[in-house]
Amino acid sequence: MAAGNNKTRCITCDKEKRTVRCEGCLQLFCYDHLTDHRQELNKQLDHIQLNRDVFRQTLNEQMNHPQVHLLVKQINTWELDSIKIIQQTANECRQLLIEHRNEHFNQIEASLNKLTDELRDIRQENDFNEIDLHQFNEKLKKLAEELDKLSNFSFQQDPAPLIYKVSVALASDCVISPKTINNNTKWKHNGSTIAGGYGEGSQSNQLYWPYGIYVDEEDQMIYVADYGNDRIVKWKHGAYYGQVVAGGNGR
């Protein structure tokens, strides 16, 4: 009787035997099937290690990905082009300012020389009166006003950007353009799942290492780069399952 009380049912063979409880899954196994259970766990561990090795290889490949060098080259080109545009615009503004200044000074100097000649002539002839003096004062006043116009030059900036800002975003980033956000927008405190949410896997309602997302605003479609499953999955708004639109058959 005492021996019989020590027997329970094995989860695998469903026979009453002496069993051992697995601390991981908390299931009871007889001695024979406990060994099988451990072997299965070892296989799963081997699979994880294999995936780790594959991921390590992928990581090494990505670290030397030619796309990075291409992006750096594009950034360098943008930098040189931007500097060229800025320098060209600055040179044009400087040249225009100098030309306008010289033309303005030359006109004033020519008028001043003419006035100087008139003053010399009228003094030599000693033939002038109050009316002539008033006219000379008015001419000097106008020359002073013309000279003051040079100080009215100002540095102005066009509201349109001369150089457009660039940025680099990871494929996993979801970029929201500022023009799509209204000032009166009220944000929800809690988010909602729009794709996946049923654990890792390759089923139509699962994702595995998703690495990018794109939202088509027109048809409310969500496209997910399901990196771990080597596929692109399309999710309709409010759908519980996705649809493979590219890949899904291995790398």
Side-chain angles (χ1 to χ4, degrees):
M1 293 296 293
N5 291 334
N6 291 333
K7 294 183 179 180
T8 54
R9 289 188 177 277
C10 173
I11 188 64
T12 302
C13 63
D14 198 30
K15 295 180 179 179
E16 287 190 358
K17 294 183 177 181
R18 289 185 174 87
T19 58
V20 178
R21 187 180 300 276
C22 174
E23 294 182 357
C25 64
L26 302 181
Q27 300 291 346
L28 296 173
F29 296 91
C30 63
Y31 297 146
D32 292 335
H33 292 110
L34 177 62
T35 301
D36 296 338
H37 180 60
R38 294 299 303 173
Q39 290 178 351
E40 178 61 27
L41 293 179
N42 285 327
K43 290 181 181 179
Q44 293 180 19
L45 181 59
D46 292 340
H47 183 69
I48 293 174
Q49 289 180 323
L50 178 61
N51 288 339
R52 188 276 316 274
D53 294 339
V54 172
F55 180 75
R56 169 62 68 181
Q57 181 180 355
T58 303
L59 176 62
N60 293 334
E61 293 174 356
Q62 291 295 329
M63 290 178 65
N64 299 311
H65 200 287
Q67 179 69 14
V68 175
H69 301 289
L70 177 60
L71 290 176
V72 171
K73 185 177 180 180
Q74 291 176 345
I75 294 173
N76 293 340
T77 301
W78 171 84
E79 179 185 17
L80 295 176
D81 291 343
S82 300
I83 293 175
K84 183 178 179 180
I85 293 174
I86 293 174
Q87 289 177 337
Q88 181 179 353
T89 303
N91 289 333
E92 291 175 354
C93 289
R94 279 191 291 264
Q95 187 66 26
L96 181 62
L97 177 61
I98 293 173
E99 291 177 357
H100 192 79
R101 181 203 61 182
N102 293 340
E103 180 181 359
H104 193 65
F105 281 165
N106 290 337
Q107 291 177 354
I108 294 177
E109 187 174 11
S111 298
L112 182 60
N113 290 336
K114 182 178 179 181
L115 178 60
T116 301
D117 293 339
E118 292 175 354
L119 287 171
R120 184 183 66 248
D121 293 341
I122 200 171
R123 179 172 290 278
Q124 289 177 353
E125 295 175 1
N126 196 22
D127 182 17
F128 59 91
N129 55 27
E130 289 84 358
I131 297 176
D132 296 322
L133 297 179
H134 177 72
Q135 290 178 348
F136 287 137
N137 283 325
E138 287 296 320
K139 290 180 179 180
L140 280 174
K141 183 179 179 181
K142 288 182 179 180
L143 288 176
E145 292 176 353
E146 289 296 323
L147 184 61
D148 287 339
K149 289 182 179 180
L150 185 63
S151 62
N152 292 331
F153 290 169
S154 62
F155 181 79
Q156 299 179 352
Q157 294 187 13
D158 195 314
L162 179 64
I163 303 298
Y164 287 94
K165 182 180 178 181
V166 297
S167 61
V168 177
L170 297 175
S172 57
D173 291 343
C174 182
V175 180
I176 303 177
S177 174
K179 66 181 181 180
T180 62
I181 303 178
N182 189 284
N183 291 333
N184 297 323
T185 299
K186 295 182 179 179
W187 298 93
K188 294 182 178 180
H189 293 286
N190 299 315
S192 59
T193 301
I194 57 175
Y198 298 95
E200 295 180 349
S202 59
Q203 300 300 318
S204 58
N205 64 342
Q206 293 177 315
L207 298 171
Y208 184 54
W209 283 72
Y211 205 67
I213 183 171
Y214 170 76
V215 179
D216 192 326
E217 296 181 1
E218 293 185 1
D219 58 9
Q220 295 294 302
M221 290 292 185
I222 302 166
Y223 295 86
V224 180
D226 194 6
Y227 177 81
N229 289 318
D230 301 302
R231 65 186 184 182
I232 304 297
V233 184
K234 177 176 70 175
W235 292 71
K236 293 182 179 180
H237 179 67
Y240 294 98
Y241 297 91
Q243 176 185 355
V244 178
V245 295
N249 298 311
R251 300 189 66 180

